[in-house]
Amino acid sequence: MDLAGVKMVGDLTLWLKDINKGHVPVVGRKCVSLAELIRMGARVPPGFALTIKANETMMCETGIGNKVHQYLEGFEPRSLGEFSSSKRAGNDILQIMKGVRLPEDMRDELFKSYEELCGSTGIPNVAVSVRSSGPESRPGLFETYLNVQGKEELERKVLACWASVFAPRAIANRVQQGGVVEGEYIGVVILQMVNARSAGVLFSVNPITANLNEVVIEGSWGLGESVVQASVAPDRFTIDKRTLELKESIINEKPREVILTSKGTAVEAVAPERKAISCLSEEEIKELVRLAKIVEIHYGGIPQDVEWAISADYSFPDNVFFLQTRPVVGVKWGSKYTDKPPGKSAADHIADLMVERITR
Amino acid sequence: MVEWKAEWRPKRRNHLYVLSYEDLQAYPCWYLDSVHSIPPWTPLFAWSWAHHQRYGDLWAAETLGFPTCRGTDWREVDGCGYMSPILVTDKTEQKERATRFREHLRPFIDDYHGVWSGVVKELMDRYQRFKAFDVTNSTSSALWDHFDEVFRFNYRVWGLHSWVMYTLSGLYALFEDICRERVGIDDTSAVWHRMIRGFDNKLFEVDRMFWNLYERAVELGVDGVIKGNPLDEIIPALMEDERGDRWLNEANGFRGFLNEHGWRMPRMMEFNCKPWIEDPSPAFSFIRQYIDKSGHFEMDLRRPEIVKERKEAEQEILSRFPDSQRDWIRSLMEVAQKAGVFSEEHTYYFEHMSHSLMRRAGYACAKRMVDKGLMEDPEDFVFLLPDEFRKNIIPLCLDYRPLISERRLHYDEYSKRLDRPPLIGELADDPQGAMEYMAATKDDVMMKISVGMEAVASVDYKADLYGNPGAPGISQGTVRVVSSEEDIPKIRSGDILVATTTYSSWTPVFPLLEGVVLDSGASLSHAAIVGREYNIPVVIQTKEATKRLRDGQRIRVDGSRGAVWILPG
């Protein structure tokens, strides 16, 4: 890996604002996409990353890496693709990792960066989220921790995040993909927690009808977990991408929301008068769409799947936050342009499409 | 009945295709061609456009059987071109035309190279004959024939021009549409821009020769003579010594270069500018700019990287389509890529050559009238119309001086009127309706080359100016606002060219530039194509760059996002 010219704050941590496109091998995809969102003018909560290298260093210096290696030698690698043995291995490795602490230098650097974050936000023991950021995007594979407060807790959650590389489903996934069983090293991204009034996802294209000229937003009250975990039917807005006109809004009854508590998060009942009203104002919708269009263009027109949150602590437009963006996957884009049937010549097919396009 | 508005009505009627009262009734809307005819044309060029380009467009659309449109009709209003598409609205008729159109498309897809080299051969053979004609010593009857032939051939030039343009631009637009709908990429995407660059074209070949001439001048030690003398005294100064003489006259020397490639004009859609073969000053100022810049020919340095990126972009786009569909997508992509090359290099074969030779024929006729005292200055040939030449070539007795001074008065008046009504006719007060009428042609030529997509304004980059991405990359440099070709010699290495639009005759300064910012433009505009090839960021469709930016300002240009920042200091 050529790191010439890469600006390193420390070997182990990097602030989001100092991260650029070339840093994927250093801090992972999620961190880089957050950094790019900032450059594109989207609001992203302040935060920093623990590097992929830090993960590797931790595994070596604490001797955990060796222990895991030795433990896994007792397995026939392919058998780990099966649920029962990957589950056993995962649980055993979690036991091996239990009680381990970060190497001292790393802990110091983590705490120093965290104190700086507390300083810059003006909040002692500022609440943060702790998420994985691997060199490859693996949505939903590793653990995420919300509303983490204080240095000690932060250290535990960073370690837990790294331990989740050995969660049974992660092991099984690696084996199925033909990867190294012992795992991959991942970065960790630590962001100030958004005290979300509403949150959800945005698709820069309509993922259901595959209409590329529509943006679809789904959202609910409280933290994004409510939508992501599909525990409530979210509000759903369809917007014309060109005119930003709201074409359709479906406001659902939202009986529950996930909120921040002093110890983490909790599911609470939504006050009756808020249940059936829209979780987004029209100006918030427009702002989300406007930003999403920029993001989509930035990524070469590839449809994006964005996680967003509206903060209860700020007023519009400073309350609109982007927490993640990645390409929309798993949608077959519909088209008026048909595939070429086998046996037909390329020129015939192109000429037909051309004529259809003009005479449609 | 649509009645004249004062600002619509032409002040003079020189010929049949000056906008008339019947035209107002018969066509719902006339659209100003601001790309080509602002500033307004001389009477002879306006005549030629209204006759030859009009023929070419209608002939091509009708020959091809373009399903929804019989081509574009043209009228002149005081030196400006106004166009109006002729729609085919009847579905049955569209279907019949489509059958014909489909057959005409086939050779373009199967063997574009064959089609295009046939066109180039037809044009170049004819030009070689025209060039070989001795306009000074020929008999009057031969000159008459020559004049007629050169002017008549311009019908064919425009016919072929539109014939290729309709087909290629349509295929380009089809490919873009398919990419947008199926894989979410369009011509504002960075990968799209990488995919359509990295090809050679005739104009770059000429730039390369310029660079060779510059290097040869340094080698022979005559670069000082080129730099140290007024532009019009360079040739005499060079002829004074043996090295200068070699630079001019050796094989691959300057004279040979001019004779082969000097048939291009600072303003290609006009007759009143001397082509380089007559006045090599622009050529010398390009060479001087290269002397100031020195170093390497940028394209040579960047080309391998750009070609590599293009191949990666092709793979990236193809990889998003299912395996089973990649063969025809690749065929279509290859034709679409040719549209960029054609859009750029065709001016060399069509406009520059043809118009230079028309100028040469008209000027030669005028010269004979000047010798008889029937005209004051041969440059005044642009105030006469073709029949007026024919009327006098042999008799040489009609005194055209009063007619010319009358036309000149008219020209002097209208050429200052730059604020022409963009729309004339029934739909003039309904711009949206007018645009919808135009869009019904499904004619992608207008949309891709001159109109462009509306820029999506965004406040996010905190930029001072927003447009559309024309060519990718980010750079910084000094603003140089260019309002006409006269400003071109002022450009220095490291400048960012800011203009309403650019012309193919400006291509040689691109290696000096750090970027280009335009008021207008689309993905197949000259600046976007050349910028991509030279790896210079280009922002198009800013609407107001020439109004907002001033010479000497430092700016940052982001050609991938279509944004421009004015830097402090």
Side-chain angles (χ1 to χ4, degrees):
Chain A
M1 178 168 55
D2 178 19
L3 291 182
V6 168
K7 184 169 175 280
M8 302 292 279
V9 168
D11 272 352
L12 307 173
T13 62
L14 255 179
W15 287 87
L16 276 190
K17 59 182 167 47
D18 297 322
I19 291 172
N20 64 43
K21 243 186 356 209
H23 280 109
V24 172
V26 182
V27 290
R29 283 198 186 275
K30 186 175 288 165
C31 290
V32 169
S33 89
L34 285 168
E36 288 196 289
L37 282 173
I38 295 173
R39 291 220 169 80
M40 282 179 250
R43 278 163 289 271
V44 171
F48 60 94
L50 269 167
T51 61
I52 294 169
K53 178 83 186 157
N55 189 182
E56 188 182 350
T57 308
M58 183 280 289
M59 292 298 278
C60 290
E61 289 188 7
T62 55
I64 298 280
N66 268 336
K67 283 187 200 162
V68 169
H69 182 72
Q70 281 160 14
Y71 170 79
L72 283 170
E73 278 182 344
F75 278 89
E76 157 67 25
R78 249 174 312 164
S79 73
L80 284 165
E82 284 150 31
F83 180 72
S84 58
S85 55
S86 71
K87 189 174 176 193
R88 181 152 61 85
N91 288 337
D92 289 346
I93 293 171
L94 293 187
Q95 280 305 313
I96 296 173
M97 291 188 73
K98 203 172 179 183
V100 74
R101 296 210 60 184
L102 290 179
E104 206 167 318
D105 290 358
M106 195 180 296
R107 188 161 60 231
D108 288 350
E109 200 168 321
L110 173 68
F111 288 178
K112 200 167 130 266
S113 296
Y114 180 68
E115 277 162 14
E116 252 179 76
L117 186 65
C118 295
S120 67
T121 54
I123 306 168
N125 290 334
V126 65
V128 294
S129 62
V130 178
R131 291 180 163 91
S132 65
S133 174
E136 302 298 329
S137 179
R138 300 198 191 287
L141 207 52
F142 305 128
E143 289 299 330
T144 289
Y145 301 95
L146 299 178
N147 205 16
V148 177
Q149 296 173 32
K151 289 191 265 190
E152 306 302 324
E153 189 58 18
L154 176 61
E155 184 190 354
R156 272 194 290 280
K157 289 304 192 278
V158 166
L159 283 161
C161 205
W162 279 335
S164 70
V165 169
F166 299 100
R169 62 182 168 189
I171 294 176
N173 180 281
R174 275 197 297 279
V175 173
Q176 280 151 15
Q177 307 273 324
V180 183
V181 181
E182 277 165 57
E184 51 207 316
Y185 298 118
I186 59 171
V188 176
V189 57
I190 292 141
L191 292 184
Q192 185 189 0
M193 202 58 210
V194 175
N195 179 20
R197 180 208 74 202
S198 318
V201 293
L202 174 153
F203 297 96
S204 70
V205 293
N206 189 328
I208 295 173
T209 62
N211 184 338
L212 295 155
N213 297 319
E214 287 176 354
V215 174
V216 171
I217 301 176
E218 289 184 346
S220 192
W221 294 120
L223 302 186
E225 270 50 38
S226 332
V227 175
V228 174
Q229 296 165 5
S231 52
V232 295
D235 293 341
R236 184 182 170 87
F237 309 93
T238 308
I239 302 101
D240 186 303
K241 205 182 211 164
R242 290 174 185 169
T243 61
L244 301 193
E245 181 200 347
L246 186 57
K247 288 167 85 170
E248 190 187 30
S249 49
I250 299 167
I251 310 300
N252 281 309
E253 180 101 349
K254 301 171 285 295
R256 291 178 301 279
E257 63 180 328
V258 179
I259 58 155
L260 295 178
T261 65
S262 54
K263 288 197 195 102
T265 59
V267 179
E268 294 229 327
V270 172
E273 67 276 15
R274 283 171 73 226
K275 273 185 198 168
I277 61 172
S278 170
C279 71
L280 281 172
S281 71
E282 203 154 317
E283 61 182 1
E284 288 161 353
I285 292 172
K286 283 199 168 139
E287 177 70 358
L288 286 169
V289 176
R290 191 179 63 80
L291 287 164
K293 280 169 71 175
I294 295 168
V295 175
E296 190 188 71
I297 289 169
H298 174 85
Y299 286 111
I302 301 169
Q304 297 290 305
D305 165 353
V306 175
E307 276 181 32
W308 56 267
I310 306 293
S311 169
D313 301 335
Y314 303 93
S315 54
F316 184 82
D318 297 327
N319 59 347
V320 179
F321 285 87
F322 274 22
L323 303 176
Q324 173 163 315
T325 185
R326 59 182 177 222
V328 177
V329 288
V331 178
K332 187 177 182 319
W333 302 111
S335 173
K336 44 188 185 266
Y337 295 110
T338 50
D339 282 354
K340 178 174 79 65
K344 188 179 180 187
S345 83
D348 276 333
H349 191 59
I350 293 167
D352 283 343
L353 292 183
M354 178 96 169
V355 168
E356 274 167 35
R357 175 170 187 270
I358 294 171
T359 52
R360 186 156 47 222
Chain B
M1 284 302 186
V2 188
E3 291 306 319
W4 284 115
K5 283 190 188 172
E7 70 267 26
W8 294 352
R9 196 170 196 154
K11 294 248 162 69
R12 277 186 65 111
R13 310 189 52 83
N14 292 336
H15 56 84
L16 194 60
Y17 298 113
V18 172
L19 189 74
S20 68
Y21 185 75
E22 305 87 82
D23 296 330
L24 273 192
Q25 313 311 321
Y27 297 74
C29 193
W30 292 95
Y31 305 73
L32 172 67
D33 173 14
S34 57
V35 174
H36 300 109
S37 70
I38 295 290
W41 292 311
T42 56
L44 180 60
F45 194 87
W47 182 98
S48 168
W49 189 278
H51 287 74
H52 303 143
Q53 149 73 18
R54 172 180 186 276
Y55 163 86
D57 205 275
L58 297 172
W59 176 85
E62 200 61 3
T63 304
L64 286 167
F66 197 82
T68 48
C69 174
R70 287 180 209 289
T72 309
D73 210 340
W74 287 88
R75 295 292 184 269
E76 182 198 342
V77 179
D78 296 337
C80 284
Y82 278 84
M83 61 187 149
S84 195
I86 324 255
L87 298 184
V88 177
T89 47
D90 181 73
K91 286 280 171 198
T92 321
E93 193 183 350
Q94 285 186 359
K95 289 251 148 37
E96 284 163 15
R97 293 175 69 92
T99 320
R100 185 148 42 108
F101 185 54
R102 202 181 170 289
E103 285 321 297
H104 278 280
L105 277 171
R106 290 290 308 265
F108 281 85
I109 305 163
D110 282 332
D111 179 24
Y112 174 75
H113 177 76
V115 172
W116 177 236
S117 49
V119 170
V120 168
K121 185 172 183 327
E122 180 181 343
L123 295 174
M124 295 309 278
D125 284 355
R126 196 62 87 89
Y127 294 146
Q128 282 308 333
R129 249 176 59 206
F130 293 162
K131 276 158 73 176
F133 181 78
D134 181 350
V135 289
T136 316
N137 301 307
S138 59
T139 62
S140 300
S141 55
L143 181 60
W144 185 346
D145 283 343
H146 175 73
F147 177 92
D148 265 358
E149 210 190 334
V150 172
F151 270 65
R152 205 172 340 105
F153 189 59
N154 196 231
Y155 281 114
R156 178 70 178 159
V157 169
W158 283 119
L160 289 173
H161 175 276
S162 300
W163 183 61
V164 181
M165 195 74 119
Y166 268 114
T167 336
L168 267 192
S169 308
L171 288 163
Y172 176 90
L174 172 69
F175 184 53
E176 194 209 339
D177 222 21
I178 289 176
C179 285
R180 184 196 297 116
E181 303 244 330
R182 297 202 47 166
V183 296
I185 295 173
D186 66 13
D187 74 344
T188 60
S189 313
V191 60
W192 183 271
H193 290 279
R194 287 200 299 274
M195 181 272 294
I196 56 172
R197 71 177 178 178
F199 293 97
D200 286 324
N201 82 42
K202 195 73 186 171
L203 291 170
F204 299 144
E205 194 186 312
V206 175
D207 290 355
R208 188 74 186 78
M209 289 179 200
F210 258 127
W211 189 264
N212 293 345
L213 283 167
Y214 145 69
E215 286 186 328
R216 182 67 177 147
V218 173
E219 207 173 287
L220 290 167
V222 298
D223 50 323
V225 183
I226 297 171
K227 238 185 113 56
N229 284 287
L231 290 170
D232 52 350
E233 289 169 26
I234 295 175
I235 290 193
L238 283 167
M239 280 158 61
E240 275 170 25
D241 81 29
E242 188 267 336
R243 292 168 309 159
D245 188 66
R246 260 173 73 190
W247 187 79
L248 287 172
N249 295 317
E250 67 189 355
N252 300 324
F254 187 66
R255 285 227 162 93
F257 166 81
L258 280 187
N259 196 36
E260 187 68 27
H261 305 293
W263 300 86
R264 64 169 168 178
M265 299 191 279
R267 189 178 171 197
M268 69 181 178
M269 302 298 190
E270 246 314 349
F271 296 134
N272 62 354
C273 311
K274 292 184 168 142
W276 299 355
I277 185 113
E278 277 184 62
D279 175 8
S281 297
F284 279 125
S285 47
F286 288 137
I287 293 173
R288 275 187 185 176
Q289 284 163 324
Y290 285 172
I291 294 174
D292 285 339
K293 179 185 156 29
S294 70
H296 298 277
F297 189 57
E298 296 295 324
M299 194 173 280
D300 288 350
L301 295 178
R302 291 165 169 177
R303 179 47 59 111
E305 183 62 20
I306 288 178
V307 171
K308 187 171 147 259
E309 279 181 18
R310 189 234 305 156
K311 291 187 173 150
E312 286 163 7
E314 288 170 358
Q315 284 313 316
E316 188 182 335
I317 291 173
L318 282 174
S319 71
R320 297 194 195 176
F321 286 90
D323 252 347
S324 60
Q325 301 303 314
R326 287 187 198 155
D327 61 335
W328 71 272
I329 291 289
R330 178 183 283 283
S331 304
L332 182 56
M333 177 162 71
E334 282 167 5
V335 194
Q337 288 171 324
K338 299 290 192 308
V341 178
F342 169 79
S343 184
E344 191 50 30
E345 77 172 359
H346 80 272
T347 62
Y348 178 93
Y349 299 106
F350 290 84
E351 290 90 332
H352 283 299
M353 281 280 193
S354 182
H355 292 155
S356 299
L357 287 159
M358 288 161 83
R359 175 190 153 88
R360 180 169 173 264
Y363 188 93
C365 297
K367 190 89 179 21
R368 297 188 185 194
M369 294 189 238
V370 171
D371 291 343
K372 290 275 181 194
L374 304 168
M375 282 175 69
E376 269 166 23
D377 181 346
E379 289 289 352
D380 289 345
F381 80 97
V382 295
F383 296 112
L384 296 177
L385 304 184
D387 266 342
E388 288 154 358
F389 289 91
R390 295 183 186 109
K391 205 170 165 190
N392 220 6
I393 291 177
I394 289 179
L396 278 178
C397 63
L398 295 162
D399 185 349
Y400 279 145
R401 286 174 300 179
L403 174 68
I404 286 172
S405 54
E406 199 189 324
R407 292 235 176 99
R408 189 201 306 280
L409 271 179
H410 179 220
Y411 174 74
D412 286 348
E413 181 275 322
Y414 76 60
S415 59
K416 290 189 196 80
R417 268 192 283 135
L418 302 178
D419 202 15
R420 301 301 183 95
L423 303 170
I424 291 180
E426 202 185 326
L427 293 174
D429 298 324
D430 175 15
Q432 177 141 14
M435 282 306 129
E436 279 164 19
Y437 184 78
M438 177 70 97
T441 60
K442 314 272 178 80
D443 174 359
D444 294 301
V445 180
M446 284 300 139
M447 305 312 272
K448 280 294 156 217
I449 291 162
S450 35
V451 183
M453 257 174 63
E454 277 292 299
V456 185
S458 98
V459 290
D460 280 85
Y461 309 136
K462 303 196 168 40
D464 296 291
L465 204 57
Y466 292 97
N468 278 335
I474 299 180
S475 70
Q476 298 189 3
T478 310
V479 170
R480 176 69 64 185
V481 181
V482 174
S483 40
S484 76
E485 54 279 352
E486 280 139 45
D487 296 328
I488 290 290
K490 295 182 195 155
I491 289 172
R492 295 288 166 264
S493 189
D495 281 355
I496 290 175
L497 187 155
V498 176
T500 313
T501 183
T502 65
Y503 300 96
S504 57
S505 49
W506 301 5
T507 312
V509 296
F510 273 68
L512 305 178
L513 300 176
E514 283 296 327
V516 178
V517 181
L518 298 186
D519 293 348
S520 64
S523 67
L524 285 187
S525 298
H526 168 260
I529 292 173
V530 183
R532 285 191 288 266
E533 294 303 335
Y534 279 108
N535 211 11
I536 300 163
V538 177
V539 176
I540 54 178
Q541 282 286 323
T542 63
K543 306 280 190 222
E544 49 175 13
T546 54
K547 292 198 184 81
R548 294 271 307 279
L549 301 173
R550 292 280 159 266
D551 273 0
Q553 274 177 330
R554 298 276 303 161
I555 57 171
R556 183 161 79 237
V557 177
D558 185 333
S560 311
R561 296 176 184 184
V564 178
W565 294 263
I566 300 171
L567 302 174

